[in-house]
Amino acid sequence: MTDKFDTGKLKARAEERREALHEKAEQEVTVRGHAMEKGDIFKFAGLIAFFAIMVLICVLLWPYFHDLFEPGGIDRIIADVRGAGPVGFLILLGLQFLQIVVAFIPGEVVQVAAGMLYGPWVGALVIFVGCVLSSAFIFALVHRLGAPFVQSMVPTRYLEKFRRFEASGKLNITVFILFLIPGLPKDVFTYLVPLTDMRMRTFLVLSNVGRIPGIVVSTYAADGLVDGRIWESIVIFAVAAVIAILGIVFRERIMRMLDRSSRRDGK
């Protein structure tokens, strides 16, 4: 009896929140007399920051680019970047932060770079810290700016499903599974989950622990390319690519399966 009552309260709360978000979504943001969406402003600023960091990387590495065409050149460039100390870590951390915040920048490129530059474990740690910081930033930002920002920043077709996951009491395990499976739009989910009642601390633990296997696989395989384990890395990348492709192909089926489960438990 108590479980049914609690489920009813969750459904009522979710319905009230949907109505409030719908009203907020109709609001406009005016910048210097021009109507603009907050998400567009944020994406534009994020892209500028991303390209600024890329330019900085090119400027720092330009004196060493000629080494790429000489024997052992890649090893020397990697040694020079590692020797740069905190600067290299901060640049990589900034790229990982922007990759998740901007949401449509490929994350695998940053992870491979981390593995090649700093090895499988230190590289994975840098990526993991970047994931935690960016996830916390997005969570706080979404809570402050609300649904209109999210709707203009990322596709929101999964939002109703997250509402049902929440109403069924399976939101926590669902978030962990979604962040664990390769090929699913994790960066989109990072913007949608804060619109539920999940606490930031819970979200940071579930989402980032779920990311760990994928991060370690990418950085380990990338380190193998530098360490001479070429065929091992190729096999790992190939297997990871197949799994990611399967995740992309079956992402809608996975979401429908989880959604059906939440509907049954929410009754």
Side-chain angles (χ1 to χ4, degrees):
M1 186 71 179
T2 304
D3 292 340
K4 291 182 178 180
F5 180 71
D6 291 340
T7 302
K9 287 197 299 183
L10 285 173
K11 287 182 177 180
R13 189 187 307 166
E15 183 63 31
E16 291 176 359
R17 195 162 47 245
R18 276 196 295 270
E19 293 177 0
L21 293 177
H22 180 72
E23 292 177 359
K24 286 184 177 180
E26 297 177 349
Q27 298 175 356
E28 291 186 350
V29 180
T30 303
V31 180
R32 295 183 178 274
H34 300 281
M36 297 183 66
E37 294 182 346
K38 295 177 181 177
D40 291 337
I41 299 172
F42 191 75
K43 283 188 286 188
F44 184 67
L47 281 175
I48 291 177
F50 179 79
F51 286 118
I53 291 180
M54 293 303 296
V55 169
L56 176 61
I57 292 174
C58 290
V59 170
L60 291 175
L61 296 181
W62 183 259
Y64 309 103
F65 279 168
H66 66 279
D67 285 347
L68 288 174
F69 306 99
E70 298 180 2
I74 294 179
D75 292 335
R76 286 196 295 273
I77 291 176
I78 291 174
D80 288 334
V81 173
R82 290 175 177 174
V87 175
F89 285 104
L90 290 176
I91 290 176
L92 186 62
L93 191 63
L95 285 174
Q96 179 58 38
F97 179 87
L98 289 172
Q99 182 271 313
I100 293 180
V101 169
V102 179
F104 49 81
I105 298 172
E108 290 73 17
V109 175
V110 184
Q111 293 174 10
V112 169
M116 294 182 70
L117 291 172
Y118 296 108
W121 310 118
V122 176
L125 179 61
V126 175
I127 296 297
F128 181 78
V129 171
C131 289
V132 172
L133 293 177
S134 54
S135 299
F137 175 78
I138 291 172
F139 200 99
L141 193 69
V142 170
H143 268 228
R144 181 173 182 82
L145 298 182
F149 170 75
V150 174
Q151 291 173 343
S152 59
M153 187 68 187
V154 298
T156 56
R157 63 182 181 275
Y158 297 125
L159 183 56
E160 289 301 315
K161 290 182 174 60
F162 275 97
R163 296 294 184 205
R164 287 191 285 272
F165 297 151
E166 182 180 21
S168 68
K170 285 191 170 183
L171 181 61
N172 286 7
I173 185 62
T174 300
V175 167
F176 177 75
I177 292 173
L178 292 177
F179 278 83
L180 180 66
I181 298 176
L184 298 186
K186 298 176 178 59
D187 299 336
V188 173
F189 298 154
T190 303
Y191 279 87
L192 296 178
V193 175
L195 294 176
T196 68
D197 277 344
M198 181 177 286
R199 294 182 177 181
M200 180 188 291
R201 180 175 59 185
T202 303
F203 173 65
L204 293 181
V205 171
L206 294 174
S207 62
N208 290 296
V209 170
R211 290 180 188 268
I212 289 177
I215 293 173
V216 172
V217 167
S218 295
T219 54
Y220 179 82
D223 177 67
L225 295 176
V226 178
D227 200 36
R229 295 177 279 109
I230 306 297
W231 284 108
E232 178 185 343
S233 296
I234 291 175
V235 170
I236 293 174
F237 278 129
V239 172
V242 170
I243 295 174
I245 290 172
L246 291 175
I248 294 172
V249 171
F250 294 105
R251 68 169 60 171
E252 296 299 332
R253 184 176 298 181
I254 293 170
M255 293 299 294
R256 285 197 298 270
M257 180 180 66
L258 293 171
D259 192 27
R260 284 196 297 269
S261 176
S262 67
R263 286 175 184 270
R264 288 196 301 268
D265 293 341
K267 290 182 179 180

